[in-house]
Amino acid sequence: MIKNVYLWMCGALAITGLTAYYVASSSAILTWMFSNAWIMIALIVAELGLVIGLSAAINRISALTATLMFLAYSVVNGMTLCTIFLVYEIGSIASTFFVTAGTFGAMAIYGSLTKKDLTKVGNLCIMAVIGLIIAVLVNLFIKSTMMEMIVSGVGVLVFVGLTAYDAQKIEDAFYRVAESEEANKFAVLGALNLYLDFVNLSLYLLRLFGRRK
């Protein structure tokens, strides 16, 4: 059922949030993570590997394996996102979360209910994500505050569009697989897509409006 997609997404977000908060509160774990640059690199590689592996192998793996990979990703992502609790005020993080939840919910409902085909919007947003990645990498060298703000603003618009597109795509897919054995696997994959939309939307909003410590 379609509600399972959103239940899995919310569960993964809760795991990520709790993991990030716990890691940020533990001086021992923080010391271990930041004592060697290779540890953070390994965590980032693990994140990418889990996302790419889950998406690419969804037709070959079992529903249990897909679920475990998704949960593992939410934990690893929580570890790398612990820095937001070190950089931003807790009140700012909380308010951004609620703004993100409201925006995400509105766009997910729109995507699920609209009769308009959002494929073109989704394709444009996916191409824009590539541009965002390039812009972020470039800004690592030039360190422009203005460019960071522009990228964050564009990022918000891109993931608002992707949320609506993914919600529509998931709704359409479930009509085809709802009664099949593949339903549970696609629920996990759909939850992963929406989870990524939510997390990225939240991070871009936090960069735009978050109050730093």
Side-chain angles (χ1 to χ4, degrees):
M1 295 179 66
I2 196 72
K3 70 176 182 180
N4 290 340
V5 175
Y6 292 92
L7 288 175
W8 277 118
M9 183 203 75
C10 291
L13 286 172
I15 291 172
T16 296
L18 290 172
T19 301
Y21 182 76
Y22 176 76
V23 171
S25 302
S26 172
S27 58
I29 297 177
L30 288 175
T31 300
W32 170 74
M33 283 179 57
F34 295 109
S35 62
N36 189 325
W38 286 105
I39 294 175
M40 285 301 296
I41 293 173
L43 290 173
I44 293 171
V45 170
E47 281 184 296
L48 293 173
L50 285 166
V51 168
I52 296 171
L54 177 55
S55 301
I58 191 66
N59 292 317
R60 301 192 300 273
I61 60 178
S62 67
L64 176 60
T65 300
T67 301
L68 292 176
M69 290 177 70
F70 183 35
L71 295 178
Y73 174 76
S74 66
V75 171
V76 177
N77 199 34
M79 294 179 70
T80 59
L81 290 178
C82 70
T83 52
I84 67 172
F85 288 99
L86 305 177
V87 175
Y88 295 96
E89 296 179 4
I90 189 69
S92 186
I93 295 172
S95 60
T96 300
F97 173 83
F98 287 114
V99 171
T100 304
T103 305
F104 177 92
M107 296 312 298
I109 292 172
Y110 171 76
S112 298
L113 298 181
T114 185
K115 301 301 181 183
K116 181 180 180 181
D117 186 359
L118 300 177
T119 301
K120 290 184 178 179
V121 173
N123 290 337
L124 286 172
C125 288
I126 291 170
M127 288 188 289
V129 168
I130 298 172
L132 286 172
I133 293 172
I134 294 172
V136 168
L137 292 176
V138 170
N139 203 39
L140 287 176
F141 297 97
I142 64 176
K143 301 183 185 302
S144 169
T145 303
M146 179 60 70
M147 186 172 181
E148 181 181 355
M149 297 298 289
I150 292 172
V151 169
S152 297
V154 173
V156 169
L157 296 177
V158 167
F159 283 98
V160 163
L162 276 177
T163 297
Y165 167 68
D166 285 335
Q168 184 179 75
K169 186 174 65 174
I170 290 166
E171 189 81 20
D172 293 342
F174 258 82
Y175 283 115
R176 299 192 298 271
V177 302
E179 302 301 326
S180 72
E181 296 180 356
E182 302 295 305
N184 289 333
K185 290 196 292 184
F186 278 94
V188 173
L189 184 60
L192 173 63
N193 288 333
L194 293 177
Y195 168 97
L196 291 172
D197 293 338
F198 189 102
V199 169
N200 281 286
L201 178 58
S202 180
L203 290 175
Y204 281 119
L205 284 170
L206 195 58
R207 289 179 187 131
L208 276 176
F209 305 113
R211 294 189 302 275
R212 295 175 182 263
K213 291 183 177 178

